[in-house]
Amino acid sequence: RFDVVIIGGGSAGSVLAARLSENPDRRVALIEAGLEPTDPDIAQPSMWPFIQGRDYDWAYETVPQGGTAGRVHAWPRGRVVGGSSCLHAMAHVRGHPDDFEAWAEATGTRNWSYDRLLPAFRRSERFSGGGSELHGGDGPLPVWLPGEEVNPVVRAYMEAGLQRGVPSLGDHNGRRLNGTAPNALTIRDGRRVSAADAYLTAAVRARPNLAILTGLLVHRLVLEGDRAAGVAVTRAGVGEIVSGGEIVLCAGAIGSPLLLQRSGIGDPETLRRAGVACRLAVPEVGRNLHDHLLGAGNVYRSSRPVPPTRLQHSESLMYLNAADVTRPDGAPDIVLGCVTGPSVSESFAPIAPGFAYTLLFGVTHPTSRGFLAIGGPELSDRPLIDPAYMRTEHDRLTFRRAFEVAREVGSAPALEGWKADELLPGPGVRTAAEIDAFIAKAAITHHHPVGTCRMGADTGAVVDPGLKLSGLDNLSVVDASVIPTIPSGPVHAAVLAIAETFAAGWTDRP
Ligand code: FAD
């Protein structure tokens, strides 16, 4: 029996396993469905788009999305030690302080405000620019702000932004977010650093009080009264129970709500339909599912060869106020990205790399909300994932604006030396209806699903502001699922900060 059982050795789980096992008297188990990563491509930053679908990917799919021309969207998720941080694109963007103001409001506590999260952001990072009031200098995760490695076409795009009046920013991870900056990357010496690489170091793994149990599938929680006594797992097909005093669910924005539902915790009607007896009615488990989309893309044929990326293809996100792209303050509404090659959704014929580059575009604060649910009682039953992409008018209008801004930046003088012509959607696409139809076919996930076990002070919230599941004494959820509203940017930095904050607050427990 362990004092703490952590379910899921992904981004959040790696942080918690390392932090909670710092106390040698606390026996910690980290349970992960996948194995240690062995594929050398994982460590190669430029390989990230090509490793999806391999045997360490859960390879989820959404149901057909009415808002995106009825398309089914592939949702990769890591099934490996390090979780989705072994698949992700390595961009490190905390978000805007106002994003966390929304969290503080939702939870009724300043603990989730930017200022209170700042120590956690700093604690997690080892910034290439050194430590400061805003940056951590000696944390586990390298955060590298590249310089001359940034591709020349991406530099031209940043210059094009400046020519359109976009403020110069330089670093996404300060108090301002609007402006031009290269992406800070979790890369060291040319190699990806996953959350597990950063936190589960050889010294941490050598701790006698930490057991990292890989290849264990968690099927359900074992509930006894108002406690979770343990978890029912299979290892190579053989069932066993791992029991613990405290259970912390870190299975991710998809895995965590599905596991709760399989355990009989969720909306009674959803559970009934899946053939699972309801043990604890928590209707919002799986609800509030939301994600960032990116239009892929506004693609240009280049007039000269685009050098291959020395980083991870998508080298600079540009956050902007939709009404006034020159505005430096406030949270953004839209984002552009520049990819060093052609980036298109499956709706379009592939374009050969070498003579093309792409401006991606998207909405930072979508208001569409969907849900996910188990399809049956077993882990092998296919879940129903419906992010309700582009359900709201806000999302459709803001997406169109993002596309228009991409085109404005794409036609600025600084890119003249690169641009031959616009391949997608092509100069013929001009009216609102034509643009909307293009976006519906071009939108792809930015890979940031969140919100399915949202934290909050209200009675509907799945976890309370301390991340404890309402209704059970010893179960917490700590991962991307607890995010109540998505921050402006990629969410990995925020997930690590959530886990760091939770670990720092672990005082009166075993
Ligand atoms: P995960 O890291 O997914 O961890 C969940 C873990 O739980 C996994 O290891 C999983 O195998 C395990 N698990 C789940 N169910 C079970 C079970 N039943 N039994 C046992 N184990 C289980 N974010 C950024 O900030 N920047 C980016 O550039 C970026 N790009 C991305 C690109 C891709 C392709 C993807 C997939 C994600 C990207 N993200 C990015 C998002 C980011 O990686 C995730 O939000 C983050 O890793 C989520 O962390 P987590 O701890 O919530 O879940």
Side-chain angles (χ1 to χ4, degrees):
R1 183 183 153 90
F2 296 93
D3 295 315
V4 187
V5 173
I6 301 166
I7 305 173
S11 301
S14 297
V15 176
L16 287 187
R19 294 301 187 200
L20 296 182
S21 64
E22 280 169 1
N23 177 346
D25 296 331
R26 188 182 291 137
R27 285 158 305 154
V28 178
L30 177 66
I31 301 181
E32 168 54 41
L35 303 173
E36 299 289 348
T38 51
D39 180 351
D41 289 343
I42 292 175
Q44 295 306 321
S46 64
M47 283 301 290
W48 80 265
F50 311 110
I51 61 177
Q52 294 163 22
R54 296 189 182 173
D55 61 1
Y56 46 86
D57 180 359
W58 289 91
Y60 292 110
E61 285 186 341
T62 69
V63 298
Q65 293 294 291
T68 62
R71 293 160 51 220
V72 167
H73 295 255
W75 275 18
R77 293 281 104 185
R79 178 165 53 186
V80 58
V81 175
S84 297
S85 74
C86 291
L87 295 184
H88 75 17
M90 294 150 282
H92 191 81
V93 182
R94 293 175 183 168
H96 186 273
D98 288 356
D99 298 336
F100 305 102
E101 206 47 40
W103 295 15
E105 261 169 45
T107 55
T109 155
R110 302 301 303 161
N111 287 349
W112 298 108
S113 67
Y114 179 80
D115 281 332
R116 295 273 187 89
L117 282 167
L118 186 54
F121 282 125
R122 292 179 70 244
R123 199 156 54 246
S124 66
E125 92 179 334
R126 181 182 295 260
F127 183 51
S128 59
S132 67
E133 182 222 335
L134 279 174
H135 280 291
D138 55 6
L141 186 71
V143 174
W144 171 53
L145 197 56
E148 60 179 27
E149 298 83 358
V150 176
N151 196 284
V153 77
V154 177
R155 291 164 198 245
Y157 140 93
M158 289 195 280
E159 182 62 28
L162 297 178
Q163 289 172 340
R164 291 293 185 232
V166 173
S168 172
L169 185 68
D171 174 14
H172 288 123
N173 294 309
R175 288 182 185 274
R176 286 207 294 114
L177 187 53
N178 290 346
T180 59
N183 291 339
L185 300 166
T186 51
I187 293 176
R188 179 175 48 212
D189 301 333
R191 295 169 68 81
R192 170 200 296 274
V193 179
S194 73
D197 295 331
Y199 281 87
L200 301 178
T201 59
V204 169
R205 288 167 181 265
R207 290 176 187 160
N209 61 321
L210 173 64
I212 300 178
L213 310 172
T214 60
L216 263 65
L217 291 169
V218 178
H219 292 266
R220 54 190 61 82
L221 302 165
V222 179
L223 302 179
E224 280 175 9
D226 50 11
R227 292 181 66 76
V231 294
V233 304
T234 50
R235 192 198 309 245
V238 180
E240 58 185 278
I241 306 283
V242 180
S243 47
E246 293 278 335
I247 312 285
V248 188
L249 195 42
C250 299
I254 323 263
S256 286
L258 294 179
L259 177 53
L260 289 175
Q261 290 173 350
R262 281 198 304 278
S263 309
I265 301 171
D267 169 48
E269 180 53 25
T270 303
L271 300 180
R272 194 193 56 74
R273 256 187 262 128
V276 172
C278 180
R279 302 289 304 266
L280 182 64
V282 187
E284 292 207 31
V285 170
R287 299 203 176 275
N288 189 44
L289 173 61
H290 54 298
D291 185 20
H292 286 140
L293 282 171
L294 284 176
N298 182 207
V299 184
Y300 294 88
R301 191 198 323 271
S302 62
S303 50
R304 53 189 161 124
V306 178
T309 185
R310 292 162 74 184
L311 303 170
Q312 36 67 281
H313 307 280
S314 168
E315 302 186 355
S316 166
L317 295 162
M318 190 188 294
Y319 290 92
L320 301 163
N321 178 291
D324 177 4
V325 299
T326 69
R327 198 174 143 178
D329 61 322
D333 311 295
I334 58 178
V335 59
L336 307 187
C338 184
V339 180
T340 57
S343 179
V344 298
S345 77
E346 82 295 346
S347 309
F348 304 99
I351 297 168
F355 278 86
Y357 58 94
T358 307
L359 299 198
L360 303 171
F361 51 94
V363 178
T364 55
H365 297 89
T367 55
S368 299
R369 296 289 184 271
F371 74 101
L372 57 77
I374 46 171
E378 303 303 332
L379 182 56
S380 54
D381 290 320
R382 198 183 162 88
L384 190 149
I385 300 177
D386 182 3
Y389 281 145
M390 311 265 266
R391 185 71 56 83
T392 64
E393 190 177 14
H394 164 274
D395 292 359
R396 292 190 295 272
L397 292 180
T398 315
F399 221 128
R400 194 192 304 154
R401 174 71 186 139
F403 168 73
E404 287 163 355
V405 175
R407 253 188 181 168
E408 283 164 25
V409 171
S411 63
L415 280 163
E416 281 304 312
W418 292 94
K419 189 178 87 175
D421 48 26
E422 186 189 270
L423 289 173
L424 280 175
V429 170
R430 301 247 59 112
T431 66
E434 288 165 347
I435 293 170
D436 290 353
F438 167 67
I439 291 172
K441 290 203 294 183
I444 57 171
T445 177
H446 201 174
H447 304 293
H448 306 155
V450 297
T452 46
C453 298
R454 72 172 173 90
M455 58 171 151
D458 60 305
T459 49
V462 175
V463 293
D464 70 15
L467 307 187
K468 205 172 85 52
L469 187 99
S470 327
L472 278 190
D473 271 356
N474 63 334
L475 182 82
S476 305
V477 185
V478 185
D479 56 29
S481 71
V482 304
I483 291 176
T485 48
I486 197 163
S488 306
V491 295
H492 193 246
V495 171
L496 300 186
I498 289 169
E500 286 276 12
T501 301
F502 179 81
W506 187 285
T507 44
D508 53 353
R509 288 184 258 197

